[in-house]
Amino acid sequence: MSSYTRVALVTGANKGIGFAIARDLCREFPGDVVLTARDEARGRAAVQQLQAEGLSPRFHQLDIDDLQSIRAARDFLRKEYGGLNVLVNNAGIAFQTDDPTPFDIQAEVTLKTNFFATRNVCNELLPIVKPHGRVVNVSSSQGSQALENCSEDLQEKFRCETLTEEDLVDLMKKFVEDTKNEVHEREGWPSSAYGVSKLGVTVLSRILARRLEEKRKADRILLNACCPGWVKTDLGGAHASRTVEEGAETPVYLALLPPDATEPHGQLVCDKVVQNW
Ligand SMILES: NC(=O)c1ccc[n+]([C@@H]2O[C@H](COP(=O)([O-])OP(=O)(O)OC[C@H]3O[C@@H](n4cnc5c(N)ncnc54)[C@H](OP(=O)(O)O)[C@@H]3O)[C@@H](O)[C@H]2O)c1
């Protein structure tokens, strides 16, 4: 048996759903919880807030847009814990609906963080996830909506069980490129940059889960995407129906799946229920 303390890491945990996930994990996860944030001051303030509640998260800076920052977090986890037991990819962004930023810029910026940066975190941290580890990618049912609004040709590609990570990356790049050339609708894409970015996260989760199944089956790692529901946060807005505590429920459920669990794996989970894809 390893002598290392178990460890869970949450990205974008200084506020919103990520903060609520970190709080729940501090209460329920048998090990250390690393609250990460791109901004050190905001992250440390969040840690202090949890400390005031009698909880003991650790802090590590992590800007998922910055590969060096991801690698520094990976090195920290390797050195202090010999790896990672639970990874919650929560960090994400969305432009507000009335934001005047041109659509192609919104597409580029949103996909950069929500899809490409989340993928970088997965690629850097998955190799150090320990046996029985749990990986939760916070996606959105808006990704499913975006899939429904894609052309039949694109839907078929995204649903294809043999789509590779490289194919998916090419499709996500094509979406951004198509918005720049103002041909995205003609090319079968929906007009939601956020939706396409989360479609990418859900499909990426399916691909990575499949790869774990092929390459590390004996490790019994479970990796899933989830939707937290519509949650009152800076991103979700004040009219959203759920509190951050409610939004954290499904991600935390997936993060704490018991060691003998064999499913869900590679699924999109909403309200603790696997969704049809
Ligand atoms: N709220 C909803 O209704 C809803 C619904 C479905 C899915 N989601 C998803 O749930 C997740 C959390 O959203 P939320 O509603 O809690 O939003 P939020 O309150 O705006 O929080 C987003 C968090 O992500 C962080 N973040 C953004 N870019 C980052 C980066 N490059 N590196 C590290 N951290 C970064 C933010 O940090 P800063 O404070 O530094 O900006 C913040 O901590 C997102 O993935 C979102 O897409 C939300």
Side-chain angles (χ1 to χ4, degrees):
M1 282 299 274
S2 157
S3 58
Y4 286 111
T5 304
R6 288 161 54 80
V7 62
L9 180 142
V10 186
T11 68
N14 54 290
K15 68 176 184 180
I17 300 165
F19 179 72
I21 294 170
R23 175 195 274 136
D24 282 355
L25 290 178
C26 282
R27 290 176 179 149
E28 296 174 42
F29 176 72
D32 287 358
V33 175
V34 183
L35 181 157
T36 71
R38 58 177 159 185
D39 181 272
E40 173 128 13
R42 287 198 287 274
R44 290 203 183 275
V47 165
Q48 275 179 10
Q49 199 180 325
L50 292 181
Q51 283 170 342
E53 297 176 20
L55 303 170
S56 310
R58 293 189 72 176
F59 175 72
H60 203 280
Q61 192 273 346
L62 176 52
D63 179 348
I64 68 166
D65 287 343
D66 175 356
L67 199 52
Q68 288 315 110
S69 171
I70 299 173
R71 289 184 175 154
R74 177 202 60 194
D75 293 345
F76 159 80
L77 291 166
R78 256 202 201 130
K79 181 163 167 278
E80 303 243 343
Y81 299 96
L84 176 60
N85 301 94
V86 170
L87 168 63
V88 183
N89 278 309
N90 163 81
I93 59 161
F95 284 83
Q96 294 301 314
T97 35
D98 59 356
D99 193 297
T101 307
F103 187 62
D104 63 319
I105 305 295
Q106 293 199 19
E108 182 176 1
V109 171
T110 307
L111 266 80
K112 178 178 177 218
T113 297
N114 292 4
F115 177 74
F116 291 103
T118 298
R119 171 178 178 249
N120 284 342
V121 176
C122 288
N123 285 343
E124 297 298 326
L125 296 190
L126 268 182
I128 66 160
V129 170
K130 296 186 182 183
H132 300 276
R134 307 290 180 238
V135 181
V136 184
N137 292 334
V138 181
S139 187
S140 170
S141 54
Q142 288 199 39
S144 314
Q145 193 61 52
L147 178 66
E148 297 298 327
N149 292 333
C150 281
S151 65
E152 286 199 1
D153 178 50
L154 279 174
Q155 288 192 34
E156 203 176 301
K157 286 188 170 127
F158 284 123
R159 287 200 170 99
C160 177
E161 290 296 325
T162 54
L163 187 81
T164 66
E165 189 178 343
E166 292 67 36
D167 296 335
L168 176 63
V169 165
D170 288 346
L171 282 166
M172 292 290 116
K173 283 183 182 161
K174 182 173 186 312
F175 169 67
V176 175
E177 207 52 44
D178 286 348
T179 62
K180 295 217 178 299
N181 298 325
E182 296 182 2
V183 297
H184 65 280
E185 283 180 2
R186 202 170 74 212
E187 292 294 312
W189 297 102
S191 285
S192 166
Y194 180 76
V196 172
S197 75
K198 293 299 190 179
L199 167 60
V201 172
T202 302
V203 176
L204 177 69
S205 306
R206 295 168 64 80
I207 293 169
L208 294 176
R210 209 167 60 215
R211 192 181 305 152
L212 284 169
E213 196 68 14
E214 285 162 11
K215 302 247 160 79
R216 295 180 63 187
K217 193 172 173 55
D219 286 345
R220 299 177 66 174
I221 295 165
L222 298 178
L223 182 155
N224 290 285
C226 68
C227 178
W230 187 26
V231 182
K232 266 186 218 54
T233 62
D234 290 343
L235 188 153
H239 299 297
S241 51
R242 294 188 177 179
T243 63
V244 289
E245 288 75 22
E246 289 166 338
E249 277 178 25
T250 293
V252 169
Y253 154 75
L254 292 170
L256 297 178
L257 286 168
D260 58 349
T262 54
E263 54 182 18
H265 181 52
Q267 303 291 342
L268 173 66
V269 181
C270 304
D271 291 332
K272 303 184 187 173
V273 176
V274 170
Q275 304 298 298
N276 286 331
W277 186 248

